[in-house]
Amino acid sequence: MHFSYHLLTAVLLLLGSLSAEAGGYRFIDGTPAELPGKLLSNNPTFLNENAVLTDMTYRFEGQQPGVSPAAKPERLLNDGYMYEYEYIRLPAAAETPGMRIVFDFKQQCTFTEVDLCATVDTVTGVCICPVELPKVKVKLLVSDDGSRYREIPTEHPYAIGDFNRDQHVLRIPFAAVQGRYLAVVNAGRDFGVNEVYVWGDAEPVEPAVDG
């Protein structure tokens, strides 16, 4: 299975090279973009003044997803690498009812947006336009106690990729909600995820000190 390394969608793609000196979240042409909140998911690429360090961890509930051979599942979704051959593949919703990725922030947070670096199978051969873009459906859930979840209203399905690009940053904004746990549920066709960004606000935690 092949995944494209192309940068996608000029107005929606997050720049992977952002650093503290870059001063924040920018569109592909370098102009500043309005932030959807503070970064809460500890992705190293974006640990600058626009991030709040948290104790976030994540786990898989229900059936375990497929994982590429080189992947380290415990850090894959927030290790900062968006364009590697390492991914978690979420099977089609009909095949795995009840499966979800649960992010535990260890405190009450305000959530405002989730961004998924998502992949679909590359379309090969000769393509004749117009080509219908593949679509994925994603549900987001929030919970205070990790057992009773409520769905966050969002728009879906989302078109992803085009006939020669199969990786895309899906930006899913929503009205601010509060909770400790945030869950991502595949509600449609199978697709892969290799990075997740969660935005909002929270109380910062002290960084761990080695030794």
Side-chain angles (χ1 to χ4, degrees), residues 29-50:
D29 64 359
T31 57
E34 183 178 351
L35 287 166
K38 296 288 187 178
L39 179 72
L40 306 181
S41 45
N42 299 338
N43 311 70
T45 313
F46 294 96
L47 287 181
N48 56 24
E49 68 272 16
N50 297 314

Side-chain angles (χ1 to χ4, degrees), residues 18 20 27 48 51 53 57 91 112 122 145-146 165-166 172 203 206:
L18 281 178
F27 290 122
N48 56 24
L53 188 64
T57 59
T112 56
T122 300
D145 58 9
R165 297 174 176 175
D166 61 0
I172 310 176
E203 291 294 324
E206 293 294 325

Side-chain angles (χ1 to χ4, degrees), residues 6-204:
H6 290 292
L7 297 179
L8 308 178
T9 56
V11 296
L12 292 180
L13 184 63
L14 307 178
L15 284 180
S17 60
L18 281 178
S19 64
E21 290 75 20
Y25 198 60
R26 294 175 181 270
F27 290 122
I28 196 69
D29 64 359
T31 57
E34 183 178 351
L35 287 166
K38 296 288 187 178
L39 179 72
L40 306 181
S41 45
N42 299 338
N43 311 70
T45 313
F46 294 96
L47 287 181
N48 56 24
E49 68 272 16
N50 297 314
V52 172
L53 188 64
T54 66
D55 283 328
M56 188 209 79
T57 59
Y58 64 85
R59 64 181 183 270
F60 305 103
E61 293 186 350
Q63 180 177 325
Q64 295 298 293
V67 179
S68 59
K72 297 178 176 61
E74 67 278 3
R75 278 287 294 155
L76 177 64
L77 295 183
N78 68 330
D79 63 4
Y81 295 100
M82 297 168 59
Y83 304 107
E84 299 289 342
Y85 291 106
E86 299 181 3
Y87 58 90
I88 289 171
R89 181 154 292 278
L90 302 180
E95 301 173 10
T96 55
M99 175 184 171
R100 57 192 173 194
I101 308 172
V102 177
F103 296 85
D104 180 2
F105 290 84
K106 309 297 194 303
Q107 61 168 298
Q108 286 290 110
C109 300
T110 298
F111 303 114
T112 56
E113 181 170 315
V114 174
D115 300 338
L116 305 177
C117 185
T119 64
V120 295
D121 291 342
T122 300
V123 178
T124 58
V126 177
C127 295
I128 301 175
C129 294
V131 176
E132 183 178 359
L133 301 182
K135 295 179 174 63
V136 299
K137 294 182 180 180
V138 178
K139 288 184 180 180
L140 301 178
L141 311 174
V142 66
S143 173
D144 297 320
D145 58 9
S147 60
R148 294 170 294 181
Y149 284 86
R150 56 193 185 274
E151 185 173 350
I152 301 173
T154 61
E155 294 183 5
H156 59 80
Y158 300 93
I160 178 172
D162 62 27
F163 66 88
N164 63 1
R165 297 174 176 175
D166 61 0
Q167 191 168 49
H168 191 85
V169 176
L170 299 179
R171 296 188 63 179
I172 310 176
F174 44 84
V177 297
Q178 294 186 329
R180 168 176 167 171
Y181 300 86
L182 184 73
V184 177
V185 178
N186 182 10
R189 59 156 291 165
D190 66 307
F191 69 100
V193 178
N194 59 16
E195 197 76 0
V196 177
Y197 301 88
V198 181
W199 302 86
D201 200 8
E203 291 294 324

